[in-house]
Amino acid sequence: MKDFTYVLPKDAAEAARAAAAPNCALKGAGTDLVDRMKEGVTRPDTVVNLLTATDLRSPIREENGRIVMGGAITLAEVAESELIRKVAPGLADAAAEAATPQIRNRGTVAGNLCQRPRCWYFRNDTYACSKKGGETCYSIEGENKYHAIFENVTCNIVHPSNLAPILQVLGGTLHVVTAKGTDVVPSDIAVKDFWVRPEEDISRENILVAGQVIREVSFPIPRGTTGSSYVETREKASFDWALTSCAAALTLEGGKIASASVVLSSVAPTPLQLEAVEKWLVGKAPSDALFREAGTKATDGATPMRDNAYKITLTAVVVRRALSAAAARATGGGK
Amino acid sequence: MNADDPVIPVDPQDPAQRRRRNQQDGARGGKPFKFGQKGDVREVAVNVPPDEPPPWQFGDTHAVVGQRTPRVDAVAKVTGKARYAYDMNLPGMVWAAFVRCPHARAKVTAVDYSEAMKIPGVLVAKDYGSKDIRYALQHFGVVAAETHAACLEAVRAVKATFEVLPHAARMDQALAPDAPRVHSERPNKTGDDFRPEAVAAFEKAAQGCDAVVTGTATTEVQTHMCLEPHGVTARFEAPDRATVWASTQATFGARGEVARVLKVPEANVTVIAHYMGGGFGSKFSLGVAGAAACTLSKELGRPVKLMLERRAEHAQGGNRPSSVQEMSLGVKKDGTLAAYKVSKTGTGGIGGGAGAANPMIYDFGEVAEADFEVATNAGAAAAMRAPRHPQGSFALETIMNLAAEAIGMDPLELRRKNDKHPIRARQYVEGAKRFGWDKRTASGSGKGPIKKGMGVASSLWYALGGRGAQVLCRIRKDGSVEIRNGAQDIGVGTKTILAMVAAEELGIPLSRVTPFLGDTNDPIGPASGGSTTAPTIMPAARTAAFMAGRSLREIVAKTWDCGADDLALGGGKVIHLKDRSKSMTFEKACALMPGDEIAELGKRTGNYAAYEGQTGGVHFAEVEVDTEDGTIAVTRYLALQDAGTILNPLTAESQVNGAIVQGVSYALFEERILDRQLGQQVNADMEMYKIAGPKDMPRAEVILTEVVNGANNVGVAGLGEGPSVPVAAAIAGAVHNALGFPVWSLPMTPDRVLAAIAGKEKGK
């Protein structure tokens, strides 16, 4: 690990100004960044520790029909928040499913959204993979059991964030501050517009640029007849990355699905909004058979590689389970 | 055998020899002692050597031994006060690290160390080791620097050029028709094919069977994943001495190696391993890291620390070889196993050492066996907790389950019928009752997506220890006691039972005894391998304490004008056996000693004729298989395990629990995944190399079967390996019962489980 300048900003504005420095890395809990620095995959000249910025710690609260929280609110705080559990239990589930108690106690909401992919070729600095500026995606010919089954063209990473699909389902917004010279300008980014596909820019996974910091995250409080859920499959019960994951929100009216939002993750380089499945669901009565069919539809267009075809089965499973859980919450009025 | 041996040693791995010698020993006469287990107590004649106490026998009761006793170093461990080799930071210490090749096969053609040497604090950057690279992450250079950070930066700054050669890192690559040779002098696949006469005998016997079941089991390479990696902190002390803090399972072996590397007398070398962060069989030698650190320390005149980084630990720290086991088993309707054919192929990487303990445990009738090793360009295998056995157990217990189904017999009954070991015979019955085996439903009969199942598998080990330990017992004038041996406690609680044995023999509370292990300045002890540490050291410890206590009794006898044999130690007192009015506290007795201490050296003699040469175990597992997402939850586990005299039930149970944890992990998760391109392990970290965590654990129960084996004066048997043998097999049996068909590949990850389910549905 090489020497770096360590910045301890007092607020988001200061953090954004510091983050404009060349070759700068933003650090939340550091659970991802420090790993990458140890592996030599990321070698920053400046590290900005966001945990000292007090406004990034603004509490989870209700504000003008939205739930708002600071970017450095921890996963444990989200998982345990009674407010979130009441209005969007799917988000609480997603936070609770992540990593370990230790990591959830430190890991932040913004950090979870911005963590780099877990691809074992990307994380090994002796592999000059295309994401790191090399010429090859080693997963194409190599070991790809955990890689993408959708949109796996140039770089076959899967998006690792638990919170990404559920915040997208909930119509979440990222409240960003951007350093422009000495000025700091606020702006909003919809979660669904946050992601960058490898074909657009292989070197990154989201649209944040130097000098930008996620100050807060918010989402509109779902209507009373909406249920939300997050479901994942994985190998281990303790501390494991999802093999497939799905977040869903269903609004029921008169025993029929009035609106649906379904986002898959862990199967493609970015979270995948299943628009065709959503349209197909609207107007139908929820049932196990319906959700089973939806699960199958969700796998349309999958392009598995040598070792990851099993993820197709697991995609259908998470979609069905997420829809069932969302419908049960919508029916129960318990969100 | 030494001429002065008072008893006939038994080779515990050879039951025939054991039986023969049992008879011989009986014929020789000697004092009869009661050994055995409940319902099967045998009188065995033993000539007790003059300096040894009589062996503990069936029915003996103990004051300290057998009590659930927390580790004497528990507080030091959980508060971080315990200092491991990795924790040693000595004044003036230098950090060292290897420079490694990312390719599985290459020639190092040029190396430029100039940029590395420019980094502030870097002292050494140079060639070290072969330039003929045979596996990925093999080292060819070494760097030493004032700080760890500078050291790692220097490693990055080394510019090497390689001539990359075709490799065969994976077994499938090594077996391909046009595969490059891993060792130029021989083909990649070597070994012993079936003997034609054995195959003929198998075929003939198979014809007389009512069913012949077949199957191929595969297991993957498992790495040791020691929490503390391989390495040492070494301090050469000019002109001819050295002290080395090593993460080792063999302090005395390491001492010899240090002496050879540094060309100094063994007597001038001290190896210290007060604490050890996991070895599992991979830390018997000083290793490449240790040798390099010693050499650099001599060269620089400063202490040097070199511990393998995590990726290198996976590549260079050893592993359990893989296996492919093709089996055919012929069984008769009455459960007689009559014909067995097994062909085994596996890879131990660049170093060899593959193989599977298959057949074992059961009587298979006519057996034909073939055994092949495949050389690969991958890190060398090392002994790992019951080498060869978990692989063999998984395969043969799976084919046993299939055979039971073929003849419509309960799988537990089939095992009972074909296993005559007296300890397991009892464990099958007790275990079935305790586990509720009668509630096991027919294979594959569960409704709904989540299916429950139960499985059973058997264990054996050969761990009665032997010669190779001396223990020093000192009684100080103030009544405190030291008990010392130079071997290591690899984390299992050896230090605690050492103190317990001394306290028991001297009749004093445990708190009065201070145990010392892990320093080669103390008397010789064994390497911790083959589950022999406790059964090798503890009899010598008891003898040492007995001798020291005898010296104390002699001192008191003079005062009371009686014989030492008229006196006994117990309850913190010296007691007169004939005159109960006379007694003296242990402290008062110690105060009578003429000098400052009594010091006695107890020696481990050979084993007596034992009740059983092999230890036994039977394990039961219950699982829930989610047939939709392919996950397996091990819901309950019961291990019945014999370890002879149980000195400390708490740490003994902990040993078995550890085997269950590691076995669950082996069954469900652990797999070294090698990239077919560069040949590196892609999951060489603690994140993608998956190890079972707390939520993956079953509700586990351990029942320690009480067996007084009589192999020596204590009768403890090793427990490191036996319980590791059957865990994956028992879980696989439960999965088979749940699904109605076996999953033939370990680890049973969701992709493999779903493939097995899909394969079965296709076959319908």
Side-chain angles (χ1 to χ4, degrees), chain A:
Chain A
M1 197 186 287
K2 69 170 186 174
D3 292 351
F4 53 85
T5 303
Y6 194 42
V7 181
L8 303 171
K10 69 175 191 329
D11 57 22
E14 225 177 271
R17 279 192 289 267
N23 193 22
C24 172
L26 299 179
K27 176 196 154 296
T31 56
D32 171 26
L33 177 65
V34 175
D35 274 3
R36 282 186 278 119
M37 288 169 73
K38 282 177 165 177
E39 294 282 0
V41 173
T42 302
R43 293 170 57 78
D45 292 311
T46 301
V47 173
V48 179
N49 181 10
L50 298 172
L51 297 187
T52 58
T54 49
D55 50 345
L56 260 61
R57 290 278 310 141
S58 73
I60 301 168
R61 62 200 185 275
E62 190 179 331
E63 224 172 72
N64 304 325
R66 299 180 75 82
I67 302 296
V68 188
M69 69 195 88
I73 287 294
T74 67
L75 298 180
E77 287 169 309
V78 172
E80 289 155 18
S81 160
E82 280 183 26
L83 181 59
I84 289 177
R85 203 150 272 293
K86 193 173 106 209
V87 304
L91 176 59
D93 289 348
E97 286 280 321
T100 63
Q102 290 93 327
I103 290 176
R104 292 196 292 274
N105 282 335
R106 293 290 287 176
T108 65
V109 170
N112 186 269
L113 294 173
C114 296
Q115 64 184 308
R116 304 300 308 273
R118 314 309 303 188
C119 169
W120 44 37
Y121 294 111
F122 169 66
R123 292 203 172 237
N124 183 332
D125 81 321
T126 63
Y127 282 85
C129 78
S130 43
K131 192 166 200 49
K132 299 200 290 282
E135 289 177 355
T136 314
C137 171
Y138 285 89
S139 77
I140 295 169
E141 296 293 323
E143 310 318 309
N144 50 34
K145 91 175 265 201
Y146 300 120
H147 285 81
I149 55 168
F150 292 101
E151 302 192 353
N152 44 1
V153 183
T154 45
C155 168
N156 303 328
I157 59 160
V158 296
H159 204 274
S161 166
N162 274 26
L163 300 192
I166 184 68
L167 281 171
Q168 183 161 329
V169 154
L170 293 168
T173 301
L174 309 178
H175 307 283
V176 171
V177 290
T178 308
K180 296 209 164 131
T182 51
D183 288 348
V184 172
V185 184
S187 62
D188 291 346
I189 304 170
V191 170
K192 70 176 170 52
D193 299 329
F194 188 54
W195 319 115
V196 174
R197 293 166 58 234
E199 289 69 34
E200 297 168 296
D201 181 349
I202 200 166
S203 68
R204 58 194 182 134
E205 296 82 44
N206 62 59
I207 62 173
L208 279 192
V209 294
Q212 283 191 318
V213 168
I214 299 173
R215 188 170 171 275
E216 287 187 320
V217 176
S218 74
F219 60 91
I221 294 172
R223 291 161 56 191
T225 55
T226 303
S228 70
S229 65
Y230 171 86
V231 171
E232 65 181 39
T233 58
R234 54 197 201 188
E235 294 183 334
K236 283 163 53 183
S238 279
F239 192 17
D240 202 1
W241 299 96
L243 298 169
T244 60
S245 56
C246 182
L250 293 180
T251 306
L252 299 185
E253 274 169 19
K256 298 250 167 73
I257 296 168
S259 71
S261 180
V262 188
V263 173
L264 270 180
S265 200
S266 311
V267 292
T270 63
L272 285 186
Q273 189 91 37
L274 297 180
E275 286 167 16
V277 174
E278 292 166 355
K279 276 196 197 115
W280 181 81
L281 284 167
V282 170
K284 297 191 167 73
S287 73
D288 188 57
L290 181 77
F291 296 147
R292 196 173 288 273
E293 201 177 338
T296 308
K297 278 189 187 303
T299 66
D300 283 353
T303 50
M305 295 187 283
R306 190 193 55 241
D307 295 333
N308 66 5
Y310 73 99
K311 280 187 152 197
I312 293 177
T313 309
L314 294 182
T315 297
V317 168
V318 283
V319 169
R320 175 167 60 77
R321 288 180 180 175
L323 289 171
S324 298
R329 281 171 172 162
T331 312
K335 319 295 174 190

